[in-house]
Amino acid sequence: SDGIVNVWDLERGHCFCTHSNKLTHGPIAETSSRGKQCGYLQGQFSPDGLTLVLTDENGRVSIFDTLAAAADVRNESVPALPSWMIEQYFANDYYDLFYDSNGYCIERGSEQPPHLAPTGVRCTHEGVSYSEEVRNTYLDIEGPSPISEDVVRWNRDDIRAQSASIRKDGG
């Protein structure tokens, strides 16, 4: 993989989002790799088709909002993300793991499976904790909660109807 992703509008036949995956943040094994292309390994669209999630060979996850990318192509204003949203880790993301006698993966610090271990504080890849303001932002966010299939279907149908209306009007 070359580390470049292109997202196409198949109905219109044009690419509305191109992203070059350069190693500009996050943990990098060799400092000489900083700024170089990093290949994508896997990708998946969300069920509603509005979000694309990709993983790369450096272990990072990239999340793309395809509606924002399409709006950017149309020169509409898209609110910028805060700089602290570029990289986020939990302090315990780098804790050692081991396998117990039953073959289960266990986090050494909590001695629990990683998915059951307590979540550490949000920090940068260097282990520096984010400010109190950033941490409090997350306290007010609920979720992720499962969305019922009916709600997903309704949202998808609503978005498709809006899209058809925009296309009909020449947008």
Side-chain angles (χ1 to χ4, degrees):
S1 170
D2 60 4
I4 296 175
V5 64
N6 295 301
V7 182
W8 287 77
D9 181 334
L10 297 178
E11 292 178 2
R12 292 185 178 192
H14 74 275
C15 177
F16 66 84
C17 176
T18 297
H19 176 73
S20 178
N21 190 30
K22 292 190 178 183
L23 294 173
T24 57
H25 61 277
I28 298 173
E30 299 176 27
T31 55
S32 62
S33 296
R34 188 164 298 280
K36 292 186 178 177
Q37 291 288 109
C38 185
Y40 284 115
L41 300 176
Q42 292 183 330
Q44 180 73 41
F45 279 96
S46 62
D48 62 7
L50 299 178
T51 305
L52 174 61
V53 178
L54 300 166
T55 60
D56 69 26
E57 56 195 25
N58 203 49
R60 297 180 308 165
V61 175
S62 299
I63 303 171
F64 296 93
D65 178 347
T66 58
L67 270 184
D72 190 39
V73 167
R74 294 188 305 264
N75 294 322
E76 297 173 357
S77 64
V78 178
L81 295 174
S83 62
W84 52 266
M85 291 189 82
I86 292 174
E87 59 172 346
Q88 294 181 42
Y89 303 89
F90 290 108
N92 58 341
D93 283 349
Y94 298 102
Y95 288 177
D96 289 339
L97 302 175
F98 69 94
Y99 291 98
D100 67 11
S101 60
N102 296 314
Y104 292 108
C105 183
I106 303 295
E107 182 186 87
R108 195 168 303 279
S110 67
E111 297 194 2
Q112 295 180 6
H115 67 286
L116 298 177
T119 304
V121 65
R122 289 179 197 270
C123 61
T124 69
H125 70 279
E126 296 169 333
V128 177
S129 175
Y130 283 108
S131 70
E132 190 79 25
E133 179 185 353
V134 170
R135 291 195 309 267
N136 287 339
T137 299
Y138 284 99
L139 294 176
D140 298 332
I141 298 174
E142 291 185 19
S145 300
I147 300 174
S148 73
E149 190 174 325
D150 291 338
V151 171
V152 171
R153 186 178 300 114
W154 181 87
N155 284 333
R156 183 181 59 231
D157 292 346
D158 184 52
I159 290 166
R160 286 180 177 162
Q162 289 176 22
S163 176
S165 175
I166 291 169
R167 288 189 188 114
K168 184 179 178 182
D169 294 338

